[in-house]
Amino acid sequence: MATHSNNQYFVPHGSIYPAVLSAGLLSLASGFIFSLGGDKGLDHLHTPGKWMMILGAVIIMTMVFKWMGTVIGESLTGKYQNWEDKSFRIGMIVFICSEIAFFAAFFGALFYMRVLSVPDLAAFDPAFTPYKDFVGTWPSLGPGGHTQGVGGLVVSGNYVPPTNFHAMQPWGLPAINTLLLLTSGATITWAHWGLIKNNRKQLIIGMALTVALGIAFLICQALEYHHAYTEMGLTLGSGAYGATFFMLTGFHGFHVTLGTIMLIVILLRCMKGHFTPEHHFGFEGVAWYWHFVDVVWLGLFIFVYWL
Amino acid sequence: MSTTTVAHHEEHHDHPTGIMRWLTTTNHKDIGTMYLTFSLIMFLVGGSMILGIRAELFKPGLQLMNPEFFNQLIGVHALIMIFAALMPAATGFANWMIPLQIGAPDMALPRLNNWGFWLLPPSAILLTLPFTLAMFGIGDGALATGWTFYPPLSVQGGIGVDFAIFAVHLLGISSVMGSINIIVTLFNMRAPGMTLMKMPMFAWGWLITAFLLVATIPVLAGAVTMLLTDRHFGTHFFDAAGGGDPIMFQHLFWFFGHPEVYILLLPVWGFIPQILEAFSRKPMYGYKAQVYSLWAIGALAVVVWAHHFFTAGMPVPALLYFMYSTMAISLPLAVLFFCWIKTMWNGSMSFETPMLFAVGWIILFGIGGLTGLVLADVAADAQYHNSYFVVAHFHYTLFAGGIMGIMAGVYYWLPKMTGHMYNEKLGKLHFWLTAISFNLTFIPQFFLGLAGMPRRIPDYALQFAEFNMISSIAAFVLGFSQLLFVYNIISCARGGQKATDQVWEGAQGLEWTLPSPPPYHSFTEQPVIK
Amino acid sequence: MVTQGMKNVGLGLLLSLAAIHANADYSWNFPEPVTPMALDTLHVHNKFMIITGIIFFVVLAIMIYSIIAHRKDKGFQAVPDKTPSTAVEIFWTLIPFAILLLIDFVIMGIPAYHSVVMMEDTRDKATMVVKITGSQWRWQYEYLDGDAQGIKFVSNLTTTDDEMHNKAEKKEHYLLDVDNHLVLPVGEKVRVLMTATDVLHNWWVPQFGSSRVAVPGFIRETWVQVEKPGTYRGQCKELCGKGHGYMPIVVDAIPMDEYKTWVAAKKEELAKAAAGSDKEWTKDDLVANGKSVYEKNCAVCHQVTGAGLPPAFPALTGSKIATSPIFGADGKYLPDSHLDRVLNGKGVMPAWKATLNDVEIASVITYERNALGNSVGDMVQPSQVKAARQ
Ligand code: HEA
Ligand code: HEA
Ligand code: CUA
Ligand SMILES: [Cu+2]
């Protein structure tokens, strides 16, 4: 076990934030359920679901910001030495691993459908298959509901695949988005060099650029979604392709949003001069996160858009 | 003053008391205590639910409840027992004992640690709220799909499913936070000189559990998220019409679900050897071999998931692969069993309650494991699958292997935690009642399964009557004997004969070098291991 | 002390064993196998039980010896293992490893391999094909080839509510009896196609040893070859909702010649039904016929009274769909009309066009509109249903 520059580990004050944060999550989750519509939902009871959600969201945000505020305060008052710093680094790495596992689930679903379920549906014994003219090629919208098989084989619901459907083409907006994210990866590294060289100008410009690129990415994705829904017949509901496309890119976009917010916070802290060349985990943690988001996008570009 | 910890400094003024102490605490012992208490309460709740089931199954015919409610009780029983009783108990021990065992001042990320616990009560509320809502005519009760959430049934189901989905999300966040904390603590907080290969076995068990959690819980979160969108937002992940596949959910679920069962037992496999060595008064046998076996199990755990749905239809090569890889798990476990028994061999054994539970545990978990080995056989599994044989198997592993293991740990560490000895007579009585009534509850279920009784049915054909009756009666004995356990813990926390620092003659490890109960700050100066 | 514990555990075993003998209906093992597959699984199972049993008792014996011999109160002094050199440790720990290796991959592994191959070979030498469709909460059988081709029927539980609620004496085959049995010829290898219309079900007859999940939208395969004439019973084995415990399976295995006569008889019925859909029916006949169809198929959810179980299962009494017009001006049935809903279903409501014939659908609709507290007065002719199918 390494010998520590300081042999006292910092154990913080008790804090109410975690407990209240959990309460906020409870309110958000149950509010969401209460406001669900449809024949399975509860909104026909005019439940206060929406308000519970808003309340929950407000609580969560306040708690997160207060919590992070405390952490920043502690870091500024030099409570964190190398020993604590190492904890944060290991913690951040493990956390990112769990995020990877989360995306793995959706990539898994994508591969499963492409390689297994869609081809299977097209490959039943021709003598008996209910999907006479269904070809198991990707992109696929599935054979559609109400298929009448031998003696009637009814697949759920009244789902009819959209007819005006087009798959998303990689070499338009998606390619631009790839460019944006890759550049942002470069700019944040450049900013990091600046930080290490104690060159504040380079640091702040680099960060500002990164934030800008992040926002640009989000705008492009918004346009892409709009296009998909209005012109391409590509929606959450359009079969295997639509589901995997929107869940993967959607969750990625969500992570980009979080990442951008964190980047902004870090940018402000840089301006306030919170970071020193030797002591700046806050910066690195977010940088790592950003690179992770970056890599996930590459996976998306290759497997969702391109191949 | 340079040696007093910053921590000391912080904590001494304003030390919140009462409820605020528990809401805000960052102290690993307080948090551990909260986890353990929560676990005990939920054990009782989940247990009483299944007592309802056993009462309904006491004789053929519908006596007490309608089938919907029956199905709801089963699923919630399982989710509560696994996520709210067994896992929090293990995490509670981790919080209490890991810092003590590796000579750390506290867990590495105390505030996160506190959050990890406070996510649990909300999830428990989410799980059980639908029952209450249903009483007021809102929705149709908790999820009625069993704990496995299989679509399309779960897509068809009512709001209970939505509540369960979000409960699982919160539980997942909690487990991941807990795992991060434990991994960091084990890598960064060990006392100088304590190399990884000098870590206590319990720490090893938990380290691997934490890795498994980080790798698999997010996949479950993803799976139930797809379920949510299939239910409400028109996706077709689990619907052939859109090119999806209900069986895909089973793959995702069990990719988490199978590692989960080792997640539940690895911590137990960690501290049982420590109990054995304490009461055999000789160091445990084959430390290295055990560590490697734990790793082997951890690795195999994530590549065998499909043995839970052999009958769902898979290509022959897949069936064979999953059968053989599943069987392979018995190899490292055989090594573990060997080491445990070799640890007892030539020891000078005494049988206080913890040792009784440990030894009983070996035997009963042995039964659970061996029946698991049988289930892995594809051909035979066509018969066992979803029959009571499986129910019996996993109660031998989950209740005997899990809960009874935890009980051994409770009796072993309770004196250290409370500073008092528990009532030995009551403890022994509790063991015998539990061991006997447990077997009487679940041995009949093996035969029920073989005779062809499917699980998850509220009513059964007449030829299954006798065994169900035995099982139900024994289940109630089993249930109520747990009240002894509760009583013993409470009275021990309240007071009783003072416990020495060493407590058990043969106990080994740093936790026994501290006074009982340990000071608020475990190690202000890290001990140095040479 | 622990040995005494063992006694108690043993006692438990005995007790339950005693209970088995109290009831001769079944042994302590799988029920008598009647197909090659079931026979094979039984052998695999027995072999495995013996092997694991041996492991268990050997290890147990060693433990118990140690527990008796190496006790403190016997004054036995601990003899620490001379901290094993890694080599020695590895050698020792490899022994149990090797034993299980042998069992898993040789003694058990090899026979297991053959069983799997046999189990999955559904087509080779199969002489007929039967399609089994699971739906909440009944099985539907259809003969896909041979002279039985076109025969299809639904088989519903016949146990009464009173039996279930202990208001009436439970009959011998409580919960294991259905109106229409699946009939199979003895000795023929039958290729079985499995599918479902709503959720997962699992068609399981213990004495056949074959069990397959029925997945909606997918076709799964298994096979049965019943060697011994008789009536065999099983149950759905995949949780499929509130009726999961109430969708049993009954199979009659009969000699080929009897089977042929049965097929002929069935064909007769079908012909009649077909004729029925062309002739004009009176409202009263339809209502009368509809009552039985309704109580067999619909009452599970919508209840005998038509009150339903809201919110999951809406009431029919006074329901909009069951009271609003069915046919538009052009004589075609309207979307979301009573007929549309019964034919094509929606959400939880199954589509019945595959399950019920024209007469049954016409009758049940007419019944629902003129009974159960409704009195719309109109009716649907089987011929109209027939037309609606095109
Ligand atoms: C902690 C929980 C736990 C543990 C440890 C295990 C351990 C194992 N389980 Fe179990 N299992 C479950 C919990 C667990 N299981 C649950 C909850 C289910 C049902 C889920 C559901 O459907 O709801 C299940 C279901 C289940 C199935 C699916 C059955 C079906 O639905 O058709 C299978 C199939 O292969 C299986 C196999 C195994 C195997 C091979 C092991 C192996 O790890 C076992 C290895 C151990 C050994 C081989 C023992 C070695 C012992 C000796 C060598 C000597 C012993 C003798 C003495 C001590 C005297 N399990
Ligand atoms: C750790 C996991 C765990 C534990 C500890 C248990 C504990 C028990 N389980 Fe559970 N069980 C599961 C996990 C577990 N189970 C799982 C995963 C399933 C599968 C669910 C599914 O199919 O989806 C299952 C399903 C299951 C079934 C099958 C239901 C069915 O398929 O139809 C049965 C039937 O007998 C059963 C019985 C029991 C019994 C008798 C106990 C006993 O050990 C319980 C002991 C009793 C108590 C602990 C009660 C104590 C309380 C009191 C005495 C009253 C006082 C109360 C208060 C103060 C609140 N369980
Ligand atoms: Cu059909 Cu269970
Ligand atoms: Cu498993």
Side-chain angles (χ1 to χ4, degrees):
Chain A
M1 186 63 224
T3 49
H4 314 294
S5 61
N6 61 324
N7 67 340
Q8 306 303 349
Y9 193 84
F10 170 69
V11 180
H13 259 307
S15 158
I16 191 67
Y17 304 146
V20 181
L21 176 57
S22 311
L25 282 164
L26 176 61
S27 171
L28 180 66
S30 37
F32 180 81
I33 297 169
F34 281 124
S35 57
L36 281 171
D39 52 354
K40 297 192 208 78
L42 284 181
D43 65 347
H44 58 277
L45 298 170
H46 310 295
T47 48
K50 299 253 172 325
W51 298 108
M52 293 170 71
M53 281 175 78
I54 294 169
L55 176 69
V58 172
I59 295 178
I60 292 170
M61 286 195 225
T62 359
M63 284 308 127
V64 169
F65 276 98
K66 281 180 140 323
W67 187 339
M68 289 309 129
T70 328
V71 172
I72 294 169
E74 286 166 354
S75 132
L76 291 181
T77 48
K79 298 254 171 44
Y80 301 151
Q81 300 304 317
N82 301 354
W83 195 4
E84 292 80 3
D85 204 56
K86 191 171 171 210
S87 292
F88 299 145
R89 288 164 190 283
I90 305 174
M92 191 66 192
I93 293 169
V94 180
F95 174 70
I96 289 179
C97 291
S98 75
E99 287 272 35
I100 293 173
F102 181 75
F103 277 97
F106 291 90
F107 275 107
L110 173 66
F111 295 141
Y112 186 97
M113 288 181 174
R114 285 183 73 154
V115 180
L116 294 170
S117 62
V118 169
D120 281 3
L121 284 165
F124 293 133
D125 184 335
F128 307 118
T129 181
Y131 313 109
K132 287 269 179 291
D133 42 16
F134 174 65
V135 283
T137 53
W138 193 264
S140 172
L141 301 173
H146 271 306
T147 325
Q148 281 305 308
V150 195
L153 165 67
V154 184
V155 185
S156 89
N158 310 30
Y159 165 68
V160 185
T163 44
N164 60 335
F165 165 82
H166 310 284
M168 193 56 81
Q169 290 313 316
W171 300 116
L173 273 175
I176 298 172
N177 268 345
T178 315
L179 222 62
L180 291 175
L181 273 193
L182 289 181
T183 342
S184 74
T187 50
I188 199 169
T189 317
W190 185 66
H192 192 195
W193 291 342
L195 175 51
I196 294 168
K197 296 204 290 336
N198 210 355
N199 174 344
R200 291 201 65 229
K201 194 145 156 298
Q202 179 179 343
L203 167 63
I204 292 171
I205 296 175
M207 283 307 291
L209 277 174
T210 318
V211 173
L213 288 164
I215 294 171
F217 174 92
L218 288 171
I219 295 171
C220 289
Q221 193 164 24
L223 292 174
E224 184 189 32
Y225 276 17
H226 179 75
H227 183 62
Y229 262 80
T230 50
E231 279 130 62
M232 302 173 66
L234 170 54
T235 69
L236 250 186
S238 37
Y241 185 85
T244 47
F245 175 85
F246 280 104
M247 291 302 269
L248 274 162
T249 55
F251 269 115
H252 176 266
F254 175 65
H255 281 72
V256 175
T257 318
L258 291 184
T260 314
I261 296 172
M262 293 195 266
L263 284 172
I264 293 171
V265 174
I266 295 297
L267 173 59
L268 297 176
R269 291 188 61 192
C270 293
M271 292 171 159
K272 285 220 181 82
H274 279 183
F275 298 118
T276 66
E278 43 292 323
H279 190 77
H280 52 263
F281 167 75
F283 181 99
E284 280 182 276
V286 174
W288 292 346
Y289 192 80
W290 193 250
H291 287 307
F292 148 73
V293 174
D294 212 353
V295 174
V296 173
W297 173 261
L298 286 183
L300 285 178
F301 185 70
I302 296 170
F303 294 110
V304 177
Y305 291 95
W306 189 2
L307 299 182
Chain B
M1 273 309 286
S2 65
T3 58
T4 55
T5 61
V6 186
H8 258 128
H9 218 74
E10 289 260 333
E11 298 293 351
H12 269 325
H13 43 80
D14 68 59
H15 201 317
T17 53
I19 177 69
M20 279 314 276
R21 167 181 174 190
W22 300 105
L23 278 172
T24 64
T25 182
T26 48
N27 176 281
H28 72 98
K29 299 189 202 64
D30 288 357
I31 295 175
T33 311
M34 290 196 292
Y35 267 108
L36 290 168
T37 324
F38 178 79
S39 157
L40 183 60
I41 295 170
M42 294 316 280
F43 175 61
L44 295 180
V45 175
S48 4
M49 286 182 176
I50 209 65
L51 290 186
I53 296 290
R54 279 316 328 172
E56 172 58 52
L57 292 174
F58 178 73
K59 67 187 179 63
L62 290 171
Q63 283 71 249
L64 307 170
M65 55 185 81
N66 57 19
E68 295 91 324
F69 187 62
F70 181 94
N71 292 344
Q72 295 170 13
L73 282 184
I74 295 171
V76 179
H77 157 70
L79 287 168
I80 284 184
M81 284 300 199
I82 289 181
F83 287 97
L86 203 39
M87 286 174 80
T91 321
F93 280 148
N95 274 291
W96 250 100
M97 290 305 157
I98 285 181
L100 302 190
Q101 288 191 327
I102 65 171
D106 201 307
M107 296 295 277
L109 305 164
R111 266 184 299 243
L112 203 64
N113 200 9
N114 171 280
W115 190 36
F117 171 78
W118 281 108
L119 278 166
L120 291 182
S123 6
I125 294 173
L126 284 175
L127 263 182
T128 46
L129 189 61
F131 284 122
T132 334
L133 290 178
M135 288 178 200
F136 299 100
I138 304 174
D140 39 19
L143 93 162
T145 65
W147 78 293
T148 48
F149 287 91
Y150 282 0
L153 186 61
S154 52
V155 174
Q156 204 183 67
I159 55 161
V161 180
D162 298 314
F163 276 98
I165 287 174
F166 282 100
V168 165
H169 275 310
L170 295 197
L171 289 162
I173 302 174
S174 160
S175 311
V176 171
M177 291 309 143
S179 313
I180 292 177
N181 209 344
I182 284 164
I183 294 174
V184 174
T185 308
L186 287 176
F187 278 140
N188 196 29
M189 309 290 283
R190 276 172 286 124
M194 178 179 281
T195 60
L196 279 175
M197 285 312 272
K198 284 189 190 157
M199 274 201 315
M201 194 58 70
F202 178 57
W204 267 118
W206 244 112
L207 183 60
I208 297 162
T209 290
F211 281 138
L212 285 177
L213 278 168
V214 170
T216 60
I217 285 266
V219 176
L220 175 67
V224 291
T225 308
M226 295 178 209
L227 200 55
L228 190 73
T229 54
D230 264 21
R231 282 171 58 76
H232 296 290
F233 307 113
T235 55
H236 297 91
F237 283 105
F238 310 124
D239 175 2
D245 181 353
I247 303 303
M248 179 170 83
F249 181 87
Q250 304 189 6
H251 282 277
L252 290 165
F253 181 89
W254 289 114
F255 179 82
F256 150 82
H258 184 78
E260 170 70 8
V261 305
Y262 301 115
I263 286 167
L264 292 166
L265 284 212
L266 278 160
V268 180
W269 295 334
F271 64 70
I272 288 285
Q274 297 181 345
I275 297 177
L276 290 174
E277 76 181 343
F279 295 92
S280 312
R281 296 174 178 72
K282 86 196 232 297
M284 74 177 70
Y285 181 83
Y287 175 91
K288 279 211 198 68
Q290 293 192 42
V291 173
Y292 298 147
S293 304
L294 294 184
W295 275 111
I297 294 167
L300 283 167
V302 287
V303 296
V304 301
W305 67 89
H307 63 229
H308 288 274
F309 45 96
F310 281 143
T311 60
M314 264 179 270
V316 171
L319 288 172
L320 292 172
Y321 161 73
F322 283 110
M323 171 171 70
Y324 290 129
S325 54
T326 304
M327 286 177 162
I329 299 173
S330 61
L331 306 177
L333 264 143
V335 173
L336 285 181
F337 273 92
F338 174 77
C339 292
W340 298 333
I341 292 166
K342 187 81 173 63
T343 305
M344 296 161 63
W345 190 263
N346 273 346
S348 141
M349 282 186 270
S350 60
F351 291 92
E352 292 81 355
T353 314
M355 184 61 160
L356 278 184
F357 269 97
V359 173
W361 176 90
I362 296 182
I363 297 161
L364 296 179
F365 172 60
I367 299 177
L370 288 170
T371 48
L373 188 54
V374 188
L375 286 167
D377 185 295
V378 174
D381 184 61
Q383 294 286 47
Y384 305 136
H385 177 66
N386 275 1
S387 78
Y388 260 79
F389 189 90
V390 175
V391 176
H393 155 70
F394 65 71
H395 283 90
Y396 269 85
T397 50
L398 282 169
F399 184 84
I403 298 288
M404 285 178 74
I406 294 290
M407 286 169 175
V410 169
Y411 284 110
Y412 179 58
W413 278 318
L414 204 52
K416 172 59 65 184
M417 295 192 278
T418 61
H420 307 294
M421 297 307 284
Y422 57 86
N423 177 333
E424 190 64 48
K425 272 203 174 44
L426 268 186
K428 291 205 166 86
L429 180 63
H430 171 231
F431 169 75
W432 289 115
L433 279 172
T434 307
I436 297 165
S437 54
F438 168 78
N439 283 284
L440 286 176
T441 310
F442 291 103
I443 287 176
Q445 295 188 7
F446 278 122
F447 296 114
L448 280 171
L450 296 181
M453 175 168 169
R455 58 191 280 201
R456 299 167 163 177
I457 53 174
D459 192 1
Y460 48 84
L462 300 174
Q463 76 260 33
F464 302 127
E466 289 78 5
F467 278 160
N468 274 295
M469 191 172 288
I470 300 177
S471 182
S472 290
I473 296 167
F476 274 84
V477 181
L478 177 59
F480 285 92
S481 7
Q482 303 318 313
L483 296 177
L484 284 178
F485 182 53
V486 179
Y487 171 79
N488 210 346
I489 294 177
I490 293 175
S491 53
C492 172
R494 283 273 185 68
Q497 175 204 347
K498 275 282 325 72
T500 61
D501 297 1
Q502 178 59 24
V503 183
W504 311 112
E505 183 188 349
Q508 316 209 1
L510 287 175
E511 72 260 43
W512 308 104
T513 64
L514 289 168
S516 320
Y520 194 75
H521 288 292
S522 316
F523 290 96
T524 50
E525 289 292 343
Q526 285 202 298
V528 178
I529 285 79
K530 55 215 88 36
Chain C
M1 181 187 309
V2 168
T3 43
Q4 158 196 341
M6 291 293 84
K7 282 207 205 75
N8 297 322
V9 176
L11 195 78
L13 256 162
L14 282 181
L15 263 177
S16 25
L17 280 170
I20 310 159
H21 294 304
N23 183 326
D25 285 10
Y26 60 101
S27 68
W28 54 274
N29 207 336
F30 290 156
E32 178 203 7
V34 295
T35 66
M37 204 192 287
L39 192 65
D40 180 72
T41 35
L42 179 65
H43 289 152
V44 171
H45 164 76
N46 288 343
K47 200 163 168 189
F48 225 143
M49 282 298 156
I50 292 166
I51 294 168
T52 49
I54 294 171
I55 303 180
F56 180 76
F57 283 109
V58 170
V59 180
L60 192 60
I62 301 171
M63 262 179 84
I64 293 179
Y65 171 79
S66 168
I67 287 166
I68 298 168
H70 312 135
R71 314 169 63 94
K72 183 151 184 262
D73 49 27
K74 283 251 182 62
F76 186 90
Q77 288 303 322
V79 192
D81 319 286
K82 44 199 98 45
T83 43
S85 73
T86 317
V88 181
E89 184 175 318
I90 289 177
F91 169 75
W92 275 109
T93 47
L94 275 187
I95 290 180
F97 192 90
I99 298 177
L100 270 266
L101 196 70
L102 181 73
I103 294 172
D104 288 358
F105 298 106
V106 182
I107 306 182
M108 287 319 305
I110 293 168
Y113 170 81
H114 294 294
S115 323
V116 176
V117 174
M118 166 202 200
M119 207 167 196
E120 295 304 313
D121 169 20
T122 59
R123 307 187 186 190
D124 179 36
K125 296 208 203 60
T127 55
M128 57 184 281
V129 186
V130 172
K131 171 146 161 277
I132 302 180
T133 309
S135 34
Q136 291 169 315
W137 289 277
R138 56 184 61 79
W139 293 100
Q140 184 196 335
Y141 301 104
E142 180 180 7
Y143 295 72
L144 294 184
D145 60 356
D147 45 11
Q149 187 167 18
I151 296 182
K152 72 171 186 220
F153 51 85
V154 181
S155 95
N156 293 292
L157 179 73
T158 50
T159 306
T160 63
D161 262 28
D162 289 356
E163 284 177 77
M164 294 176 198
H165 293 91
N166 311 316
K167 295 199 193 74
E169 179 61 24
K170 293 182 171 39
K171 296 201 205 64
E172 182 193 1
H173 296 301
Y174 177 65
L175 291 182
L176 292 181
D177 224 348
V178 298
D179 48 8
N180 305 316
H181 299 189
L182 172 64
V183 178
L184 296 177
V186 171
E188 299 294 315
K189 175 168 178 177
V190 183
R191 175 179 167 203
V192 177
L193 304 184
M194 302 286 311
T195 186
T197 60
D198 36 40
V199 301
L200 301 178
H201 303 268
N202 189 328
W203 195 81
W204 182 45
V205 179
Q207 286 177 275
F208 293 175
S210 60
S211 144
R212 262 289 169 279
V213 177
V215 185
F218 283 80
I219 299 180
R220 293 276 188 268
E221 299 195 9
T222 180
W223 61 278
V224 293
Q225 181 175 347
V226 189
E227 306 287 10
K228 180 165 170 252
T231 301
Y232 305 104
R233 298 168 192 277
Q235 275 173 283
C236 174
K237 194 159 81 152
E238 190 70 55
L239 181 57
C240 53
K242 70 190 181 75
H244 168 53
Y246 305 98
M247 49 186 295
I249 298 148
V250 184
V251 181
D252 290 334
I254 56 180
M256 197 51 174
D257 46 355
E258 293 179 35
Y259 172 74
K260 286 213 158 59
T261 44
W262 176 82
V263 170
K266 270 284 171 195
K267 285 279 186 185
E268 280 294 302
E269 285 179 28
L270 281 179
K272 276 213 200 64
S277 54
D278 300 330
K279 91 173 211 287
E280 277 292 306
W281 286 60
T282 71
K283 192 162 123 212
D284 303 349
D285 293 350
L286 286 172
V287 171
N289 186 24
K291 188 174 194 317
S292 62
V293 180
Y294 179 86
E295 278 161 10
K296 249 194 202 139
N297 301 292
C298 320
V300 201
C301 300
H302 297 293
Q303 307 301 303
V304 188
T305 60
L309 293 167
F313 307 109
L316 297 182
T317 314
S319 99
K320 195 176 146 302
I321 291 178
T323 51
S324 54
I326 296 179
F327 296 101
D330 57 356
K332 290 201 168 14
Y333 72 87
L334 304 160
D336 280 325
S337 66
H338 200 166
L339 181 53
D340 177 29
R341 185 63 84 257
V342 175
L343 277 177
N344 306 319
K346 183 173 188 217
V348 184
M349 169 72 174
W352 293 96
K353 64 174 144 192
T355 318
L356 301 177
N357 63 34
D358 302 340
V359 176
E360 289 166 323
I361 290 181
S363 333
V364 80
I365 292 179
T366 314
Y367 173 72
E368 287 169 356
R369 297 172 81 80
N370 299 292
L372 307 173
N374 296 336
S375 51
V376 186
D378 63 354
M379 63 167 139
V380 179
Q381 283 295 344
S383 48
Q384 291 172 294
V385 179
K386 197 174 180 188
R389 285 180 191 273
Q390 269 87 56

